[in-house]
């Protein structure tokens, strides 16, 4: 048996609890990881609340957690890239979760060896946010040398990676931050910083090549007006659109139609400005995660961890994440190890 944070029903904070669960066993092509730390992300509490049931409905009870760092404990048949004792990190399979536990099984292709320059707690905050930023900026926005990109909310978990990855790709980065977050985004390399507490970014920005929206709502709608015609806005906080169902989720006509209806207003605003709109569900990718590990070890990217909570306080960690106060990532330490 092992201790795990388990979703028992969909709902508020009391819908998940710490309990003993059977230790998983690796199937063919899977790796059993002794988890040292797990990162938290908004997708975790959105999953708990049932907001993502149309996309992914988990058989309950289900162990929560979408990203881990730990040590390889055992190998399933056919695994050749890792061996017991390897320090690894991963974004968990979307259809399984399972990271907020003492042990987790991960498909071999989703795993990568941890950066040697950071500890487990820091590594646990990388996979989901880092891969999201990389895929949005490089694969969707095609950011390259000289691109002008707008990243509102740059001091958050994804934003701290996005600023650094955009700079690595050669972009000029504009972001929004409060006075409290200004020093952080400036240190990460942001070129232009707009204080959202007393300035409106839509009054200052024009002709951006693209925008990576992390906030949704009015920020997303106003972002279309600051991007040049023919540009693109990629969001992880707006409404999914038809390409999300086809490309990211591999779903059919029902979900495509549902997302078409749900995103109609956003797509209408995008069309008005002559801008493309894309909602991104990132995908786990061990090869891209290994690339991020190399960038971290080279000093090009610095993961930003706001707070680390012990597993016994995981409910408090969720509450802190949901408060919106975090600057960088929130991590839960599972095994009491930090290096």
């Amino acid at each position: 048996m092992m201790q795990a944070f388990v979703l028992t029903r969909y709902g508020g904070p009391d819908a998940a609890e710490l309990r003993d669960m059977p230790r998983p066993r690796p199937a063919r092509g899977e790796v059993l990881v002794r988890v040292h730390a797990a990162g938290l992300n908004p997708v975790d509490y959105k999953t708990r609340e049932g907001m993502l049931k149309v996309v992914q409905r988990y058989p309950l009870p289900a162990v929560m957690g979408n990203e881990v760092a730990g040590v390889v404990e055992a190998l399933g048949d056919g695994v050749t890239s890792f061996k017991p004792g390897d320090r690894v990190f991963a974004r968990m399979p979307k259809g399984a979760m399972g990271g907020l536990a003492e042990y987790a099984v991960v498909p071999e292709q989703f795993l990568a060896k941890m950066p040697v320059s950071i500890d487990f707690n820091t590594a646990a905050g990388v996979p989901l946010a880092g891969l999201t930023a990389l895929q949005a900026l490089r694969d969707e926005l095609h950011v390259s040398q000289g691109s002008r990109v707008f990243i509102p909310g740059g001091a958050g978990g994804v934003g701290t990676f996005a600023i650094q990855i955009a700079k690595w790709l050669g972009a000029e980065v504009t972001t929004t931050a409060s006075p409290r977050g200004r020093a952080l985004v400036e240190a990460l390399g942001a070129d232009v910083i707009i204080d959202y507490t007393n300035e409106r970014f839509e009054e200052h920005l024009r002709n951006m090549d693209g925008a990576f929206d992390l906030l949704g709502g009015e920020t997303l709608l106003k972002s279309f007006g600051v991007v040049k015609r023919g540009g693109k806005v990629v969001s992880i906080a707006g409404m999914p659109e038809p390409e999300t169902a086809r490309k990211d989720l591999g779903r059919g006509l029902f979900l495509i139609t549902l997302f078409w209806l749900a995103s109609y207003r956003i797509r209408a605003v995008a069309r008005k400005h002559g801008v493309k709109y894309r909602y991104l569900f990132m995908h786990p990718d061990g090869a891209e995660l290994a690339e991020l590990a190399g960038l971290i070890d080279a000093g090009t990217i610095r993961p930003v961890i706001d707070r680390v909570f012990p597993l016994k306080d995981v409910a408090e960690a969720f509450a802190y994440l949901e408060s919106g106060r975090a600057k960088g990532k929130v991590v839960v330490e599972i095994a009491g190890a930090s290096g």
Side-chain angles (χ1 to χ4, degrees):
M1 300 294 287
M2 66 174 185
Q3 196 169 37
F5 192 59
V6 179
L7 181 66
T8 60
R9 59 182 174 82
Y10 292 106
D14 60 349
E17 64 184 28
L18 275 174
R19 62 163 63 172
D20 288 335
M21 294 287 285
R23 184 190 299 186
R25 295 181 178 180
R28 182 173 182 83
E30 292 182 336
V31 176
L32 178 66
V33 177
R34 182 172 183 260
V35 180
H36 284 236
L40 292 190
N41 301 273
V43 68
D44 295 311
Y45 61 76
K46 291 177 182 179
T47 295
R48 185 201 67 209
E49 292 171 352
M51 294 173 63
L52 303 178
K53 283 192 291 186
V54 68
V55 174
Q56 181 65 59
R57 184 185 289 268
Y58 298 96
L60 302 180
V63 178
M64 300 192 70
N66 283 288
E67 58 183 350
V68 298
V71 174
V72 172
E73 181 83 4
L75 306 176
D77 291 342
V79 174
T80 59
S81 302
F82 303 94
K83 64 183 185 303
D86 283 346
R87 291 155 50 101
V88 294
F89 63 159
R91 198 286 193 208
M92 298 296 292
K94 291 184 179 181
M97 300 190 295
L100 281 165
E102 292 177 305
Y103 292 87
V105 290
V106 186
E108 178 182 19
Q109 69 269 26
F110 294 169
L111 272 176
K113 291 182 180 177
M114 266 177 52
V116 298
S117 58
I118 59 177
D119 61 23
F120 289 109
N121 290 340
T122 306
V126 173
L128 195 149
L131 288 174
T132 298
L134 182 65
Q135 292 168 13
L137 292 164
R138 187 168 66 181
D139 302 340
E140 296 292 337
L141 288 172
H142 306 293
V143 170
S144 59
Q145 189 67 41
S147 296
R148 299 176 67 237
V149 63
F150 177 46
I151 305 172
V158 176
T160 53
F161 283 101
I163 291 171
Q164 296 177 86
I165 290 172
K167 293 301 296 180
W168 169 64
L169 292 170
E172 176 188 292
V173 176
T174 298
T175 190
T176 58
S178 67
R180 176 171 167 252
R182 183 182 182 91
L184 173 60
V185 298
E186 194 168 37
L188 296 176
D191 298 286
V192 179
I193 304 164
I194 296 173
D195 179 358
Y196 67 79
T197 65
N198 59 33
E199 295 178 282
R200 297 181 178 182
F201 69 84
E202 68 272 20
E203 295 177 355
H204 297 272
L205 302 181
R206 290 292 181 273
N207 296 318
M208 306 297 289
D209 293 303
F212 181 25
D213 167 59
L214 311 175
L215 302 174
E218 288 300 310
T219 297
L220 170 58
L221 295 176
K222 291 174 181 177
S223 293
F224 294 115
V226 307
V227 173
K228 67 183 182 183
R229 298 189 73 83
K232 188 175 186 179
V233 174
V234 174
S235 177
I236 59 169
M239 291 300 299
E241 36 68 43
E243 190 175 357
T244 308
R246 287 191 297 265
K247 184 175 179 180
D248 298 343
L249 302 173
R251 301 294 182 84
L253 185 60
F254 172 76
L255 203 60
I256 290 171
T257 303
L258 185 63
F259 286 175
W260 186 90
L261 293 169
S263 64
Y264 184 83
R265 181 191 176 206
I266 296 174
R267 290 183 294 109
V269 175
R271 282 196 304 272
K272 175 184 174 183
H273 291 282
V275 174
K276 298 176 183 176
Y277 171 64
R278 171 87 162 94
Y279 181 94
L280 176 69
F281 273 112
M282 60 76 64
H283 57 274
D285 189 308
E288 288 186 338
L289 197 52
E291 187 176 7
L292 289 174
L295 292 171
I296 291 168
D297 280 338
T300 304
I301 293 176
R302 172 174 65 89
V304 178
I305 306 300
D306 183 290
R307 285 186 64 181
V308 177
F309 293 80
L311 181 59
K312 67 180 180 64
D313 294 334
V314 61
E316 184 182 342
F318 265 78
Y320 180 65
L321 178 68
E322 292 180 67
S323 75
R325 299 195 307 271
K327 303 299 181 187
K329 290 299 297 285
V330 176
V331 171
V332 176
E333 188 175 74
I334 307 290
S338 60

